[in-house]
Amino acid sequence: MKRDTRKQAKDTRTALRDAALALFLEQGYEAVTVATISKQIGGFPNQVTHHFGGKDAIFVEASGLAILRAARKAEEAALAADSVESHARLLIASLLGPGAPAVMLFAEAMLLARGKATLRESIRRTLDTMHTVGESTLVQTLARRRWRIRTSPEMVTRAFWASILGLALEKAATGQDFEYESAEAVALSMMNLNDDFNGGAVPPKSDRKPAKGSAAA
Amino acid sequence: MSEFKFTATLPTQRSGRASGSRTRAALLEAAAHCFLDRGFDGVAAAEIAKEAGAFPNHVTYYFGGKDELYIETACRVMLRAARRAERASRNSSSVEEHTKILFDQLLRLESPAVVLFAEAMLMARRKPKLGDRIRETLQQLNEAGEAAMVVTLMRTGWKTRVAPDVITRSFWPAIFGLALQKAAMGDGFQDGSADAVALLMINLRRALGEPMP
């Protein structure tokens, strides 16, 4: 009896979270209300408060789920990589392409969590998962490919996620005009950590795509 | 909507370009102070105007609205933070030190400015016309960073494994991402991620010996 109610509550919670995720991805934080979320599952606004504590909390949790799913999809896309270069590029392309709305949502959640201890806990859990899952996947990839890197997989993963979040911000602001040169720079930096990647073989500036006028040699 | 009201009370009493640009500058200064202190949501346009000794409709008149004033402020504050960080790292004796000082400046002393700019970037997502100013700022950050990196390289005689513009272009996204994490985590921010990025940057210049197990 008791277990049934508990299971029911868990189902409601999951349904609310999934409904919220879809709405937030589509309309953004501002446009979505607690009422529209609960309406999606034929429920009442106070259910959101009951299960999550409020709009901010459900937003933070939904966005955490969003970025973790995007990360999984990126890893799947990167399985097809046949070289160090394409591995880094496929990961970045997936997260800044189809995964971008999820990454931006999480970036927004991080700003929302400023100074709010309860939200911070949820963000911390998501970041921890991003780092640990990323690290173990990288370890597996390295073993399978017999690639070696100059620093620890943990370092690479942490640097990777920081860069992805920053790139998503740049993309959020510049939209269509996002300079993929920045994404390419991050990819190049990641590749450079790989021992099998010949850093000296990086093409000179003039050979890389959108050349920028500068005195750098 | 309310723009009609505002246009009726344009600041005609203080005519002339000089006083106009003075008001504009005062608004920007007050906005920097208020937004850095309390963030976008915590500040009303009227408060900024009051602190600048201007009228609330001056915000609309000079900038178009609170959003635009925020973006303009965030870009200026970010560029100023970058300039300061660059100045602090100017006399560094190695690229390692250069990187460390930049990180320390931007993620500690100047982190409110970086977070302000991060928020501006997200805001522009829903309002594409705000993106132009941000794009310009990103470009300036990249160009200034590249120039500073080249100067340091020339002074220290270090060789990079990749071109300096690759380093600066990957530097800024990493800083933005770290600033976000720090904003969210506050005291709980793990310096591990900052260290990782610093290491990544340093690695771009030379191999750090044997790969770790």
Side-chain angles (χ1 to χ4, degrees):
Chain A
M1 209 40 195
K2 203 169 182 191
R3 195 189 272 161
D4 269 4
T5 10
R6 212 178 292 160
K7 189 184 174 300
Q8 237 170 39
K10 213 180 148 203
D11 289 348
T12 310
R13 197 176 189 283
T14 310
L16 280 171
R17 191 197 58 195
D18 291 348
L21 176 52
L23 285 169
F24 283 131
L25 273 175
E26 199 182 310
Q27 302 172 16
Y29 174 82
E30 299 282 351
V32 179
T33 66
V34 169
T36 35
I37 297 169
S38 54
K39 212 168 133 192
Q40 289 283 314
I41 67 154
F44 300 98
N46 60 9
Q47 282 179 309
V48 172
T49 321
H50 172 73
H51 286 286
F52 295 89
K55 180 180 165 183
D56 284 2
I58 197 173
F59 178 77
V60 169
E61 194 167 323
S63 68
L65 187 69
I67 197 171
L68 291 175
R69 281 182 186 164
R72 204 162 45 229
K73 283 205 182 114
E75 299 285 6
E76 280 162 18
L79 281 177
D82 55 6
S83 67
V84 189
E85 290 91 325
S86 69
H87 184 77
R89 284 210 182 89
L90 285 173
L91 281 177
I92 294 173
S94 176
L95 286 165
L96 291 182
V103 182
M104 290 174 195
L105 214 61
F106 187 64
E108 211 169 343
M110 290 173 100
L111 285 177
L112 199 65
R114 266 175 298 178
K116 292 172 189 156
T118 47
L119 301 180
R120 176 177 292 180
E121 185 49 32
S122 172
I123 298 276
R124 194 186 57 74
R125 270 199 307 271
T126 306
L127 281 171
D128 280 353
T129 312
M130 281 155 61
H131 289 148
T132 50
V133 172
E135 187 185 342
S136 68
T137 317
L138 179 60
V139 169
Q140 283 165 24
T141 308
L142 293 173
R144 202 177 55 240
R145 303 289 190 170
R146 297 179 192 284
W147 289 338
R148 290 196 307 173
I149 51 174
R150 289 199 175 80
T151 66
S152 70
E154 188 199 345
M155 289 293 184
V156 178
T157 310
R158 283 178 175 276
F160 174 78
W161 277 118
S163 304
I164 289 292
L165 287 164
L167 286 172
L169 283 181
E170 291 189 9
K171 197 184 172 193
T174 55
Q176 297 277 306
D177 298 325
F178 176 65
E179 292 192 41
Y180 285 92
E181 215 180 344
S182 291
E184 179 63 16
V186 171
L188 274 176
S189 310
M190 297 290 158
M191 288 166 206
N192 249 285
L193 289 177
N194 195 299
D195 248 3
D196 299 326
F197 182 75
N198 182 1
V202 173
K205 244 183 118 155
S206 54
D207 292 359
R208 291 203 319 269
K209 258 198 294 180
K212 208 161 45 84
S214 146
Chain B
M1 299 174 283
S2 46
E3 271 164 34
F4 293 104
K5 230 189 294 168
F6 289 150
T7 39
T9 51
L10 288 181
T12 42
Q13 73 275 33
R14 280 212 265 164
S15 55
R17 246 164 227 267
S19 75
S21 69
R22 257 203 311 276
T23 309
R24 194 174 186 276
L27 283 169
L28 280 168
E29 202 174 306
H33 175 242
C34 292
F35 286 136
L36 278 173
D37 214 30
R38 283 167 282 157
F40 180 79
D41 287 326
V43 185
E47 290 173 72
I48 296 168
K50 197 177 164 197
E51 195 176 309
F55 296 112
N57 58 12
H58 280 146
V59 171
T60 317
Y61 177 70
Y62 287 107
F63 299 95
K66 183 185 165 189
D67 288 0
E68 287 81 358
L69 174 59
Y70 182 80
I71 300 282
E72 181 61 32
T73 306
C75 291
R76 281 165 180 257
V77 164
M78 181 68 233
L79 287 169
R80 192 174 62 195
R83 262 198 310 275
R84 280 194 199 144
E86 208 183 290
R87 213 173 298 137
S89 67
R90 195 171 282 167
N91 296 317
S92 49
S93 55
S94 68
V95 182
E96 243 138 7
E97 199 192 332
H98 183 92
T99 312
K100 283 214 179 88
I101 294 175
L102 284 179
F103 269 74
D104 194 56
Q105 287 279 319
L106 291 166
L107 293 177
R108 249 178 271 276
L109 299 171
E110 308 285 358
S111 77
V114 185
V115 174
L116 210 66
F117 188 63
E119 202 167 354
M121 285 193 274
L122 277 176
M123 188 182 285
R125 185 184 173 204
R126 310 257 169 224
K127 289 167 188 160
K129 68 180 161 65
L130 301 177
D132 288 342
R133 182 69 178 100
I134 292 184
R135 195 173 314 119
E136 204 180 287
T137 306
L138 285 171
Q139 209 168 348
Q140 282 172 296
L141 287 173
N142 282 328
E143 277 164 13
E146 186 186 350
M149 183 58 80
V150 171
V151 169
T152 304
L153 291 172
M154 287 187 337
R155 204 184 50 241
T156 58
W158 283 49
K159 293 252 189 323
T160 55
R161 285 165 57 86
V162 295
D165 76 309
V166 169
I167 299 180
T168 43
R169 274 185 178 275
S170 55
F171 173 79
W172 285 114
I175 289 290
F176 298 147
L178 290 171
L180 270 184
Q181 291 182 32
K182 201 184 166 202
M185 303 310 300
D187 295 337
F189 177 67
Q190 295 161 316
D191 282 327
S193 286
D195 290 346
V197 179
L199 200 63
L200 175 84
M201 298 289 152
I202 291 162
N203 244 288
L204 294 179
R205 264 162 284 87
R206 59 175 183 141
L208 280 183
E210 287 301 297
M212 292 184 189

